[in-house]
Amino acid sequence: MLVSCSSIGKRAEYPVWIDSEPSAYGYIIFIGYGEGQTQKNARDNAYEDSLIKMGQELGYDPREFYLRELIAYDEVPALGCSVFDYYEEEVNGVWRSWVRIDCQESVLLEARSEEYSNLLDREARISVILDEALSEYRINRDVGAINKILEAVLVSLEGPVNNPSYTPNALIDRAIGYAQQLQISLRHESDDNIEATVRVSRTKGWFYPRVEEAMVLSTYTILTNSQEYATSTYVSKTNENGEFRFYSTSPIIVKDGRVEFSIILDENCVTQINELDSGLLNSLISVLDSKKAFYDYHEEGHLDKQN
């Protein structure tokens, strides 16, 4: 036995919308399916299934509030939903029912839970930021790409996300993928001065692309006026060739010492993430630490490269 009801008239043929993904401008469409020993049981189960699917859009289970109303009236005005069509058949004593429910998109979206709306907003913002990170990477600004991912991490830490690739740990793994490709190389420029060219580049790619606008921290030891050793630092940014020049004629730099070069990330993002989850960045920082490069220099100004 076959039964069908449609807004365009009764018919018995198998409707196209069951196996396709129907769409209509301004509407969100849900297809529910149910089985039962009676025709009514099957249809009620199909209505319930459609509400379960609707709940994925709403961010909560609407059955408790609207199932009886939908079964009784074939519509739920509060959700902008109404039954557009249904199709039923009996096979070996079991009724099977499909129902198509069309919902006005504007009304349905207004009915979303605040929590779910916030979740969707977080995921949309993360998606935009990750697109920006990819753009940074494509123009050889790998450290900028990592910093963008850290911005996405901060958004992810605001609350739950559904997309598993948007969780904080998944985003950190993405950042680690970029960090693992980085390397710092050094070129000695003078036998008379403490002077070197520092380059940041990728370990992979055509001609090992040089990384632009990478922030690099130079760390070395000085001798203070009180004849005590102290650590001094300054930050440099690589140019369009992925390089910067380290040069020092300071009289307070120790005669025999080491200069350490390390890639650093956006301090504001790092601080905020550490406040929210103190251990989240450990694996990323560990990778960047492994990329440090060193120069040992001596009184004559000769520099010995040590990586």
Side-chain angles (χ1 to χ4, degrees):
M1 181 182 297
L2 304 176
V3 180
S4 175
C5 178
S6 172
S7 60
I8 59 174
K10 293 185 177 180
R11 53 176 170 72
E13 69 271 14
Y14 191 79
V16 175
W17 51 261
I18 289 179
D19 294 324
S20 63
E21 294 184 0
S23 62
Y25 180 76
Y27 287 84
I28 300 176
I29 298 173
F30 302 94
I31 308 299
Y33 172 76
E35 296 182 357
Q37 294 302 311
T38 68
Q39 185 177 354
K40 184 180 186 310
N41 286 342
R43 188 183 303 177
D44 289 353
N45 290 336
Y47 282 10
E48 183 173 10
D49 182 53
S50 67
L51 284 179
I52 291 173
K53 293 174 179 175
M54 208 176 298
Q56 297 173 4
E57 279 289 338
L58 294 169
Y60 62 89
D61 189 343
R63 289 177 293 175
E64 178 181 355
F65 308 101
Y66 301 117
L67 180 57
R68 292 181 181 178
E69 182 178 358
L70 181 61
I71 290 174
Y73 302 106
D74 287 342
E75 64 178 359
V76 180
L79 301 179
C81 301
S82 61
V83 175
F84 176 86
D85 194 6
Y86 66 83
Y87 176 82
E88 295 165 339
E89 64 182 18
E90 184 183 23
V91 179
N92 298 324
V94 177
W95 279 91
R96 302 197 299 175
S97 177
W98 291 263
V99 61
R100 169 177 163 173
I101 297 180
D102 289 14
C103 301
Q104 298 177 50
E105 183 175 14
S106 59
V107 178
L108 187 68
L109 297 186
E110 286 182 3
R112 280 177 173 165
S113 69
E114 181 179 358
E115 180 181 350
Y116 189 61
S117 295
N118 290 338
L119 181 151
L120 294 177
D121 175 69
R122 278 191 293 275
E123 293 197 339
R125 288 155 57 201
I126 290 172
S127 178
V128 170
I129 294 171
L130 292 182
D131 285 343
E132 293 172 350
L134 183 58
S135 296
E136 289 283 291
Y137 181 77
R138 285 173 173 167
I139 57 175
N140 299 333
R141 295 178 181 172
D142 301 42
V143 179
I146 295 173
N147 285 328
K148 281 294 179 182
I149 294 173
L150 295 187
E151 291 180 24
V153 170
L154 284 171
V155 175
S156 182
L157 287 170
E158 292 176 5
V161 291
N162 279 338
N163 190 329
S165 64
Y166 288 175
T167 64
N169 285 324
L171 292 170
I172 292 298
D173 287 343
R174 186 187 296 244
I176 288 173
Y178 286 137
Q180 287 174 331
Q181 298 183 45
L182 297 176
Q183 64 179 352
I184 301 176
S185 57
L186 308 170
R187 184 174 67 247
H188 173 54
E189 298 291 353
S190 172
D191 290 331
D192 300 319
N193 300 301
I194 303 172
E195 183 178 359
T197 296
V198 182
R199 176 185 299 170
V200 179
S201 60
R202 294 180 195 162
T203 59
K204 299 179 181 179
W206 190 254
F207 293 124
Y208 304 103
R210 301 180 183 186
V211 176
E212 301 178 24
E213 298 190 11
M215 306 302 291
V216 179
L217 181 70
S218 303
T219 304
Y220 50 91
T221 303
I222 61 173
L223 192 63
T224 66
N225 291 334
S226 58
Q227 297 298 301
E228 294 181 353
Y229 290 113
T231 298
S232 181
T233 63
Y234 70 83
V235 176
S236 304
K237 180 188 294 185
T238 58
N239 58 22
E240 65 275 8
N241 294 317
E243 299 176 341
F244 70 90
R245 181 69 61 88
F246 177 84
Y247 181 78
S248 178
T249 57
S250 172
I252 62 174
I253 191 169
V254 295
K255 297 290 186 180
D256 295 275
R258 164 174 285 189
V259 183
E260 174 187 288
F261 300 101
S262 56
I263 297 168
I264 57 174
L265 303 175
D266 182 271
E267 184 177 359
N268 185 47
C269 284
V270 170
T271 299
Q272 291 185 64
I273 292 172
N274 283 335
E275 289 175 352
L276 295 169
D277 188 334
S278 60
L280 185 60
L281 291 176
N282 288 350
S283 55
L284 174 60
I285 297 302
S286 177
V287 170
L288 290 176
D289 283 345
S290 72
K291 304 296 180 177
K292 289 180 179 179
F294 304 91
Y295 261 110
D296 286 338
Y297 63 89
H298 307 293
E299 185 174 2
E300 296 80 13
H302 181 71
L303 294 167
D304 295 323
K305 179 178 176 182
Q306 294 187 0
N307 285 319

